[in-house]
Amino acid sequence: MTHQADRFSLAGRTTLIIGGSGGLGRAIALGYAGAGARVLVAGRDQSKLDRISRELGAEGAKPPVAYAADVRAPSAIADLAAQVEADHAPVDVLVNCQGTTIIKPAIEVTEAEYDLILDTNLKSVYFACTEFGRRMCERRAGVIINISSLAARSGWAKAAPYCATKWAVTGLTETFAAEWGAFGVRVNAIAPGFFLTDLNRDRMSEDRKAEARRRNAMQRMGEPQELIGAAIYLASPAAQFVSGATLRVDGGYLASGI
Ligand SMILES: NC(=O)c1ccc[n+]([C@@H]2O[C@H](COP(=O)([O-])OP(=O)(O)OC[C@H]3O[C@@H](n4cnc5c(N)ncnc54)[C@H](OP(=O)(O)O)[C@@H]3O)[C@@H](O)[C@H]2O)c1
């Protein structure tokens, strides 16, 4: 029988973290490297991509491990998939960790702001799942992990478009799991609680931050590295019968809802 610890290894797996240059994606990328995976990341800002390349010990590497792509365009996702496969190997594990938000009352949200959030948080997830999912189905193996949110479980004042995208990501996660299970492809989500990153550090007021800590069962926000265990687990053989699930990593935030 395989030693149980081996079942959490990602040795030999090629992983791609879209948004792997950001706060949570970076932690997952470094965690996957520690679990033995080949780690590739994608984002837009070259300076952030250079930083994660450095941290992965692959600065200036040929082929690169960090790819510039604006994944709001399905054509950019198709190009990314073809490029990483040509440079490295087919992607075994895809993590959709891209995202953005704007905090303001729903009535004040402009069409351009709505489109930005929907395209970044939902359209990109849809087409990344289908582009990489198609390739995984052909190979009869693969794992996709979508980064969802607490906002996929209830309403969230001043974050209407963001909230709508995260509910939708749950629907996509479960639907793709249903369609692709027979092809050996698992699709799951992680719903993080509050973690201070570029996404929210300057967007949340000090009062809102204090409230987020107070309402959490553990009375604090999470640290990005506290997502690594869940991300490794869902990607690994230890989760081989887990699909369509959302794993909350929120310090008991939703559990203490009333
Ligand atoms: N932080 C939290 O408390 C929290 C809680 C729940 C869920 N989440 C979710 O976790 C995910 C990561 O968030 P984070 O906190 O790590 O935010 P972050 O630090 O702002 O990182 C966002 C990442 O997404 C990338 N990205 C954004 N738009 C992109 C685009 N059009 N094309 C390609 N890449 C793009 C960014 O790279 P570039 O800027 O270079 O494009 C960056 O790497 C998001 O889906 C977010 O909704 C976060």
Side-chain angles (χ1 to χ4, degrees), residues 19-25 43-45 48 69-72 97-99 120 147-149 162 166 192-195 197-200:
S21 57
L24 302 187
R44 292 169 304 176
D45 183 325
K48 289 198 268 177
D70 186 337
V71 294
R72 287 175 293 176
C97 198
Q98 66 275 28
T120 306
I147 305 301
S148 168
S149 168
Y162 182 86
K166 295 300 183 178
F194 284 99
F195 296 72
T197 67
D198 290 351
L199 182 81
N200 52 19

Side-chain angles (χ1 to χ4, degrees), residues 27 49 52 85 116 121 150 159 168 194 197 210 223 228 234:
L49 292 170
I52 185 70
E85 202 166 313
L116 172 69
N121 296 9
L150 301 185
F194 284 99
T197 67
E223 298 295 333
I228 294 172
L234 289 174

Side-chain angles (χ1 to χ4, degrees), residues 3-158:
H3 190 279
Q4 283 304 315
D6 294 344
R7 296 182 54 73
F8 293 88
S9 168
L10 299 183
R13 304 292 165 106
T14 298
T15 64
L16 171 65
I17 298 118
I18 302 179
S21 57
L24 302 187
R26 171 182 168 272
I28 293 170
L30 296 174
Y32 277 5
R38 180 206 310 255
V39 179
L40 310 172
V41 301
R44 292 169 304 176
D45 183 325
Q46 193 58 48
S47 63
K48 289 198 268 177
L49 292 170
D50 290 344
R51 184 186 66 167
I52 185 70
S53 294
R54 225 171 13 254
E55 291 174 318
L56 288 167
E59 190 177 17
K62 297 260 181 311
V65 301
Y67 291 82
D70 186 337
V71 294
R72 287 175 293 176
S75 60
I77 295 170
D79 291 348
L80 175 67
Q83 193 63 51
V84 298
E85 202 166 313
D87 286 352
H88 296 279
V91 170
D92 300 305
V93 177
L94 170 71
V95 181
N96 278 306
C97 198
Q98 66 275 28
T100 192
T101 193
I102 294 169
I103 298 179
K104 56 160 48 175
I107 291 167
E108 295 174 14
V109 171
T110 65
E111 183 178 355
E113 290 168 338
Y114 177 94
D115 286 344
L116 172 69
I117 297 169
L118 270 282
D119 289 355
T120 306
N121 296 9
L122 177 56
K123 185 177 177 185
S124 78
V125 173
Y126 188 100
F127 286 100
C129 285
T130 53
E131 178 63 42
F132 287 91
R134 177 178 59 76
R135 292 162 185 266
M136 290 173 181
C137 286
E138 284 166 10
R139 296 198 313 280
R140 304 270 166 187
V143 178
I144 297 175
I145 300 169
N146 295 323
I147 305 301
S148 168
S149 168
L150 301 185
R153 269 287 299 272
S154 61
W156 197 9
K158 298 191 184 162

